[in-house]
Amino acid sequence: MWFKPGLAQRIVIAFVVMTTLVAGAFALGIVGTVYMIEERLISQTLGGDLDRLLRMDSMENWRHRPERDQLFYISRGPGDFAMPADLQDLSQGFHEVFRPPKAYHAVIREVAGRRYALLQDQSDFEEREHVLFGVVLVGFLISVAMASGLGVFMARRVMAPLINLAAKVRRREQQLSEAPALAPQFPSDEVGQLAAAFDDTLGQLRQALTRERLFTSDVSHELRTPLMVIATSCELLQANPALGAREQGHLGKIARSCEEMRDLAQTFLLLARAEHQQVAHAAQQSLREVADELAGQWRGEIESKGLRFDYAPSETSAGLYHGPFLRTVLSNLLRNALHYTQSGHVALTLSAEGFVVEDSGIGIPAEFQDAVFQAFQRGAQAGGEGKGVGLSLVQRICHLQGWQVLLTEAQPHGCRFYVRLLPA
């Protein structure tokens, strides 16, 4: 997996890389300078000594001898001055010759067909050179280590305002409406500009949330009066004995729709308050109580469409739940099953952990199962009267209450919604 360093790590890496390059350049420069000086100075010294030897070699009385730490050789020379095998193939100029445990600098010269070699013991120089190179290496490593420590220190100093800003932003998420401005708490630098940008964005978000909250509250409140008028009118019309069965059936649908709209408006209001942590105490109901109520409400409509309604209130938990939210979730799932099922059955099964709503409708392909929980999203084969809002509302409520909703395919076709409940 590709390594993605954070900002603090990038600062440390930048310090280490920069120091490595600079210290490495200095170290290589020192090593190169030592080698250059070594070759130039020693070659000049040995060359001068060899020149003096060669001048003395042409005199009848040769009194000049090599220094105590020098060795002199001549091709086809007598005795100890004979050219050894390890020098015969060397070209003219300066060389380093190693004869363990000693090391020598050598100058090779060829005059009038004869080769001359002068060697000088450099063992002490090599030891000092190794010590120098060791010091350079240790200095390089210390520089890199110090750069790492300095990078960590500077990264913490640089990141401290950002970490402070992030902490304040996280606290503002919990106290969105009461959070003070961030910009005055930071200097007018880049971090201060970022804090000011957060203030501007948060101000716009606060205004949008306020507008949404007011809209939800106003709509939920203002819908109550016309819904009450519709419900009262339906009751008066249903009491009229002159109306036939067909008219009574339509009035019943209007009354049920009115009741659903009233419950839905109340749910939206409670949901808006709950999402802003302003929810009041809601009525607590058991799953069996809500399920019995909705099963009686939806059975007639489901069976009037020619479908079979299977209600299995077997074992249920004794827990109590948020009544309006539970009623909205279960009602939306039953409505969804009714709208998208043309033949077969709709089933509601209760269990100790929650409930299952299953149908034999057209089903939802696997590639659309995640999308159907988004607002205004419907499957490619969707039909019926839905607008793609019900399942989004179900998921919002389940997320708010800590419940879990899962969608799987029913066999041989259809949908199966499982809702796992947690007591309030």
Side-chain angles (χ1 to χ4, degrees), residues 23 72 151 156 193 303 331 362 404 416 420:
F72 180 64
R156 290 177 178 175
Q193 296 176 8
E303 292 179 347
S331 180
I362 58 177
Q404 185 179 18
R416 183 178 186 273
R420 183 175 180 270

Side-chain angles (χ1 to χ4, degrees), residues 1 3 66 82 105 107 109 136 149-150 172 176 190 193 226-227 233 265 281 337 353 391 398 412:
M1 184 177 180
F3 174 63
H105 289 126
V107 174
R109 189 77 54 81
V136 171
L150 182 60
R172 287 159 68 92
L176 189 59
E190 290 79 1
Q193 296 176 8
L227 288 176
S233 300
H281 179 72
E353 295 183 346
L391 292 181
C398 289

Side-chain angles (χ1 to χ4, degrees), residues 65-375:
R65 293 289 187 272
E67 299 295 336
R68 185 180 52 169
D69 57 350
Q70 292 180 344
L71 299 175
F72 180 64
Y73 300 101
I74 307 173
S75 60
R76 301 185 301 277
D80 294 337
F81 295 99
M83 185 73 68
D86 59 345
L87 302 179
Q88 292 179 0
D89 296 331
L90 297 180
S91 61
Q92 295 191 72
F94 178 78
H95 299 276
E96 289 188 64
V97 178
F98 296 95
R99 293 176 178 177
K102 293 186 176 182
Y104 297 88
H105 289 126
V107 174
I108 307 297
R109 189 77 54 81
E110 185 172 343
V111 179
R114 298 186 69 179
R115 292 173 62 83
Y116 300 89
L118 180 64
L119 278 67
Q120 182 170 345
D121 188 359
Q122 62 162 353
S123 300
D124 294 340
F125 182 83
E126 285 291 331
E127 291 179 2
R128 291 190 293 269
E129 190 177 66
H130 290 160
V131 172
L132 175 62
F133 291 162
V135 171
V136 171
L137 178 60
V138 171
F140 172 77
L141 296 178
I142 292 176
S143 299
V144 174
M146 291 179 63
S148 301
L150 182 60
V152 171
F153 173 76
M154 292 300 298
R156 290 177 178 175
R157 293 292 301 272
V158 171
M159 293 298 297
L162 293 176
I163 294 175
N164 185 23
L165 176 61
K168 292 181 180 297
V169 170
R170 281 193 292 268
R171 287 197 296 268
R172 287 159 68 92
E173 292 177 355
Q174 301 174 358
Q175 300 177 352
L176 189 59
S177 59
E178 302 176 0
L182 288 174
Q185 305 178 42
F186 295 90
S188 58
D189 54 5
E190 290 79 1
V191 178
Q193 296 176 8
L194 182 60
F198 274 121
D199 287 337
D200 294 339
T201 303
L202 194 59
Q204 298 175 10
L205 178 60
R206 186 185 295 115
Q207 294 176 2
L209 292 176
T210 302
R211 288 194 300 268
E212 178 189 356
R213 187 186 311 167
L214 293 175
F215 172 78
T216 304
S217 301
D218 292 344
V219 169
S220 300
H221 180 270
E222 295 300 327
L223 282 177
R224 293 178 183 178
T225 300
L227 288 176
M228 183 64 67
V229 172
I230 295 174
T232 304
S233 300
C234 287
E235 291 179 1
L236 292 175
L237 289 174
Q238 286 176 326
N240 187 355
L243 296 179
R246 182 177 179 181
E247 290 78 5
Q248 290 288 348
H250 287 300
L251 287 175
K253 289 183 179 180
I254 295 175
R256 286 194 299 271
S257 298
C258 181
E259 184 66 23
E260 290 178 15
M261 290 180 63
R262 186 161 52 193
D263 291 342
L264 191 59
Q266 181 66 16
T267 299
F268 279 126
L269 179 60
L270 291 175
L271 188 60
R273 290 176 176 175
E275 288 178 339
H276 293 88
Q277 299 179 356
Q278 296 178 356
V279 63
H281 179 72
Q284 303 296 305
Q285 293 181 279
S286 67
L287 174 60
R288 179 64 181 271
E289 181 181 359
V290 175
D292 287 345
E293 176 187 346
L294 293 179
Q297 176 181 333
W298 285 96
R299 181 182 295 276
E301 193 167 350
I302 292 174
E303 292 179 347
S304 66
K305 192 176 179 180
L307 304 176
R308 187 180 76 253
F309 181 59
D310 298 328
Y311 177 43
S314 56
E315 180 182 357
T316 60
S317 66
L320 297 179
Y321 308 94
H322 192 292
F325 285 163
L326 180 58
R327 185 180 297 105
T328 301
V329 170
L330 185 51
S331 180
N332 272 277
L333 292 179
L334 289 173
R335 181 187 298 108
N336 192 75
L338 172 62
H339 287 169
Y340 294 100
T341 304
Q342 304 304 322
S343 63
H345 72 281
V346 174
L348 171 60
T349 304
L350 308 185
S351 67
E353 295 183 346
F355 62 88
V356 175
V357 176
E358 183 176 330
D359 62 69
S360 58
I362 58 177
I364 300 176
E367 60 269 21
F368 293 107
Q369 290 183 2
D370 291 335
V372 295
F373 287 105
Q374 301 176 11

